[in-house]
Amino acid sequence: MAACGDAAMISPPPPAPKGIIRARGVSKRFGDRMAVDGLDLDVPAGCCFGLLGPNGAGKTTTLRMLYGVTRPTSGRIEVFGLDVATHSRTVRARLGVTLQESVLIEALTPVENLMVFGRYHLMRDAELRPRIDELIDFLQLGSHRDVPVRNLSGGFKRRLAVALSLVARPQLLILDEPTTGLDPAVRLALWTKVRELRDHGTTVLVTTHYMDEAERLCDRVAIMAAGAVLVEGEPRELISRLLARDTVEIEASEQEAAQLLSGYEESTNRMQAGNRAVVHLEDAAALVSHIRGRDSVADRRLIVRPTNLEDVFLHLTGMTLEASA
Amino acid sequence: MYARTWKLNLLPNFFEPVFYLASVGIGVGAYVQQMGGLRYVEFLAPGLVCVAAMNGASFEVTYNVFIRLAFEKTYDAMLTTPIEPDDVLVGEVTWAITRSMIYGGCFYTILVAASLAPLPASLLVVPVLALAGLLFAALGLAFCVRLPAIDFFSYYFTMFLTPLFLFSDVFFPLKERLSPAWLTVAEVLPLLHPVRLARAAFHGGAEPLRVAWDLTYILVLSALLLLYARGRIRRRLTN
Ligand SMILES: Nc1ncnc2c1ncn2[C@@H]1O[C@H](COP(=O)(O)OP(=O)(O)O)[C@@H](O)[C@H]1O
Ligand SMILES: [Mg+2]
């Protein structure tokens, strides 16, 4: 937490209402396709909230409706307690958005890009200049502050894009797939910054299709598919509510797996994926000894691991799914 | 509404009318003694000022706007801030007019230096430049927002702007060459109107009715085209 002292200035904790975002029955139709279909969403103030889902789930469309650029076909959205349909300008003045695609002006330097963005927010020079220095510091852009953007690396550009959305000290930061296409170290560094912002009171709404990142780094997540939220909650809580703490992957066909598991008492949640049975349960050790005890194949591969959001997602969107007791 | 910080780059288009003035005005002028009762190069001057303004606005709202609309995500980024699509439109038109005034203004300065623009009367051409900028911003934008691919701009320039440039009173007075029926048809040409206003500013002889008609034409056509462009831009940026 080296930047802690001035990080307080990066995002002043605002007197925020309880829920920052509240969406009810929101739908968006494009032609005959429903991009978003009856979505409900509540994002509490001060948390880092992950909106998860595969490509085409409707994440970007949802975000665009939240900041009032796409109009919902039906439903109601409130941000900061304001109806977005009628107060989109006010809402946008108080939030920052980092889009999925790069929006940087390639011919300009990071500092110039930040200047342009400050102008969009009608900020004055006297206010803007120190703010830019602050952000350059916070997102560690100092080494290339005067180099044209086109010569910068992907990770650097992404940090700059995040800096742009922070220019006007937003209370809510919306990030659309901020880590897609970045290498793991850069991704982690970016997440560290996001957490730091959250620690200082900014609410963060982030979309991603990296479930593992979301699980470790988001306070709450909502899993989306086909334009609707399937489940919402804290990652660990979702996992134990919908599946179970542990997962055992057994190299076995469906019949073999059924045999190996027969007579096992504890309730399990089982799924077959090709030549692999995936079993979710509270106590993996007991199952492993149960299998080893009755298995004819001595060196069968068993993988024991914690259950993750990826499993929850597969469970919800229903691959060949089968709950056995 | 919001300050534009795009870097100014004076494109070669600015020099086009300068070269025309030099080559046609001086070259052809040597053979053509008089045109519309003036030395040929004097006759050319006010028309070419408007051409400079036309170029200034046109390049801005065609290629540049299209690129921002289709390739760069500049507008999408703007719309994440309190800016609305209407502000984007106002910004582009304002900037196009500014470019017109810069192009036209520089050209005008050259004319003044070459004693081809009588002072102070010809100063009235400055608001005419702004009007020309408005008109060609509107025309370019209306074309731009319904263009499927950037290549089509070459049509806009070769099939539309170039003929305008040749047949809008810039190089010869239409009323000496066309029958009255064709003269009426020629009134649809957009460039004709600013050129006529500029000519009146330079050489006098303004007829109030005609000035009123030219102004009405410019303002009404601009308004209609911008209204159309506004609808398209809104739909494109917010769906
Ligand atoms: N402007 C649009 N016009 C038509 N269809 C669209 C438009 N934007 C998104 N869609 C469609 O809506 C669905 C959801 O898209 P999107 O919100 O971008 O998903 P995600 O961000 O989760 O990948 C997709 O099927 C996409 O093709
Ligand atoms: Mg997306």
Side-chain angles (χ1 to χ4, degrees):
Chain A
M1 299 285 281
C4 211
D6 39 53
M9 296 195 300
I10 298 284
S11 46
K18 267 264 171 287
I20 288 268
I21 296 172
R22 196 184 127 91
R24 285 295 173 272
V26 174
S27 298
K28 178 65 190 181
R29 174 196 297 279
F30 290 114
D32 55 3
R33 160 187 273 145
M34 297 300 285
V36 173
D37 194 358
L39 172 127
D40 293 331
L41 190 66
D42 286 278
V43 176
C47 89
C48 176
F49 192 101
L51 196 56
L52 316 184
N55 275 328
K59 303 182 297 293
T60 301
T61 306
T62 300
L63 298 186
R64 284 172 61 90
M65 290 192 286
L66 291 178
Y67 62 86
V69 168
T70 292
R71 295 209 164 243
T73 312
S74 62
R76 183 182 166 83
I77 302 174
E78 284 171 18
V79 179
F80 309 122
L82 299 167
D83 185 347
V84 175
T86 50
H87 294 77
S88 70
R89 220 190 254 264
T90 322
V91 165
R92 283 202 301 274
R94 291 166 62 183
L95 58 74
V97 184
T98 305
L99 297 176
Q100 201 169 345
E101 307 94 351
S102 173
V103 300
L104 306 172
I105 302 171
E106 298 272 316
L108 303 186
T109 67
V111 170
E112 289 166 335
N113 267 283
L114 285 159
M115 291 292 294
V116 170
F117 234 75
R119 299 258 185 272
Y120 294 163
H121 281 280
L122 302 179
M123 290 170 76
R124 295 171 191 291
D125 260 14
E127 180 190 10
L128 188 51
R129 297 239 173 235
R131 179 62 182 162
I132 288 176
D133 291 337
E134 229 168 75
L135 287 171
I136 293 224
D137 228 35
F138 177 64
L139 287 158
Q140 291 146 9
L141 303 167
S143 57
H144 295 74
R145 58 179 287 153
D146 296 314
V147 176
V149 166
R150 75 169 77 83
N151 302 331
L152 302 177
S153 71
F156 201 98
K157 284 186 190 179
R158 208 66 67 96
R159 290 208 303 280
L160 175 57
V162 174
L164 290 186
S165 56
L166 290 173
V167 158
R169 300 171 195 273
Q171 289 163 258
L172 168 64
L173 176 63
I174 293 177
L175 302 164
D176 198 1
E177 312 244 359
T179 54
T180 302
L182 299 182
D183 59 61
V186 180
R187 269 153 62 176
L188 192 63
L190 197 56
W191 273 105
T192 309
K193 290 301 170 188
V194 169
R195 303 277 294 186
E196 226 169 279
L197 283 166
R198 187 217 52 180
D199 291 344
H200 291 95
T202 309
T203 307
V204 181
L205 175 60
V206 51
T207 73
T208 179
H209 57 254
Y210 296 122
M211 303 264 175
D212 55 329
E213 281 186 352
E215 185 180 325
R216 280 181 294 122
L217 299 160
C218 293
D219 305 314
R220 299 183 75 80
V221 297
I223 296 182
M224 273 188 87
V229 171
L230 301 177
V231 286
E232 191 269 340
E234 292 168 29
R236 304 299 333 161
E237 183 266 328
L238 277 182
I239 288 168
S240 59
R241 171 153 58 91
L242 294 164
L243 290 172
R245 197 191 63 186
D246 290 346
T247 293
V248 180
E249 293 183 17
I250 310 161
E251 198 176 72
S253 70
E254 197 154 5
Q255 292 98 320
E256 276 182 298
Q259 248 172 21
L260 291 172
L261 290 167
S262 72
Y264 186 71
E265 296 298 314
E266 201 201 331
S267 81
T268 61
N269 205 315
R270 197 170 113 212
M271 198 179 91
Q272 188 76 27
N275 198 34
R276 197 164 49 99
V278 182
V279 181
H280 307 294
L281 74 179
E282 286 307 319
D283 185 4
L287 178 65
V288 170
S289 56
H290 176 85
I291 292 174
R292 290 287 187 224
R294 55 174 36 228
D295 198 350
S296 52
V297 183
D299 60 347
R300 186 184 300 282
R301 277 171 61 92
L302 294 177
I303 299 169
V304 179
R305 59 171 174 82
T307 307
N308 57 39
L309 281 180
E310 195 83 53
D311 298 314
V312 172
F313 181 76
L314 287 180
H315 170 71
L316 289 171
T317 55
M319 303 278 282
T320 39
L321 179 89
E322 200 187 291
S324 57
Chain B
M1 296 293 286
Y2 56 92
R4 298 301 293 264
T5 17
W6 310 113
K7 285 194 167 163
L8 295 187
N9 37 4
L10 283 179
L11 294 172
N13 317 323
F14 165 69
F15 292 100
E16 193 181 307
V18 179
F19 292 143
Y20 273 103
L21 183 74
S23 81
V24 182
I26 296 164
V28 180
Y31 302 96
V32 184
Q33 296 305 318
Q34 291 250 307
M35 183 76 78
L38 296 162
R39 268 167 58 217
Y40 188 54
V41 60
E42 282 173 346
F43 176 84
L44 275 180
L48 289 177
V49 174
C50 292
V51 170
M54 171 176 93
N55 285 346
S58 297
F59 282 90
E60 184 57 29
V61 296
T62 50
Y63 287 105
N64 293 353
V65 168
F66 191 84
I67 286 169
R68 269 174 240 148
L69 212 49
F71 302 124
E72 292 177 356
K73 296 288 169 182
T74 321
Y75 294 139
D76 286 321
M78 287 183 178
L79 294 182
T80 68
T81 72
I83 291 170
E84 302 268 341
D86 283 357
D87 305 330
V88 170
L89 186 70
V90 170
E92 290 300 351
V93 172
T94 311
W95 178 233
I97 292 176
T98 310
R99 287 273 289 252
S100 280
M101 313 255 316
I102 294 170
Y103 276 52
C106 291
F107 191 74
Y108 176 67
T109 312
I110 294 175
L111 293 180
V112 170
S115 313
L116 289 171
L119 284 172
S122 65
L123 274 173
L124 271 174
V125 83
V126 174
V128 175
L129 293 177
L131 288 171
L134 172 68
L135 181 60
F136 284 95
L139 278 163
L141 276 172
F143 187 78
C144 178
V145 292
R146 56 163 313 136
L147 203 66
I150 197 160
D151 313 326
F152 288 84
F153 279 124
S154 48
Y155 288 101
Y156 185 73
F157 286 96
T158 57
M159 303 298 290
F160 181 61
L161 292 191
T162 304
L164 272 188
F165 172 50
L166 296 175
F167 297 109
S168 294
D169 243 11
V170 176
F171 289 103
F172 59 91
L174 292 178
K175 65 173 183 286
E176 291 182 9
R177 312 288 332 156
L178 297 183
S179 67
W182 279 108
L183 271 180
T184 317
V185 173
E187 290 294 322
V188 303
L189 299 178
L191 183 60
L192 179 61
H193 304 274
V195 168
R196 216 148 50 189
L197 291 172
R199 184 149 290 143
F202 272 62
H203 305 308
E207 302 160 41
L209 260 181
R210 176 143 283 181
V211 170
W213 157 237
D214 288 335
L215 288 174
T216 311
Y217 176 99
I218 293 172
L219 294 173
V220 170
L221 184 61
S222 302
L224 290 177
L225 291 168
L226 287 177
L227 217 57
Y228 170 75
R230 176 186 188 221
R232 299 283 297 206
I233 286 180
R234 269 169 176 269
R235 236 184 314 151
R236 184 86 162 256
L237 296 181
T238 69
N239 51 36

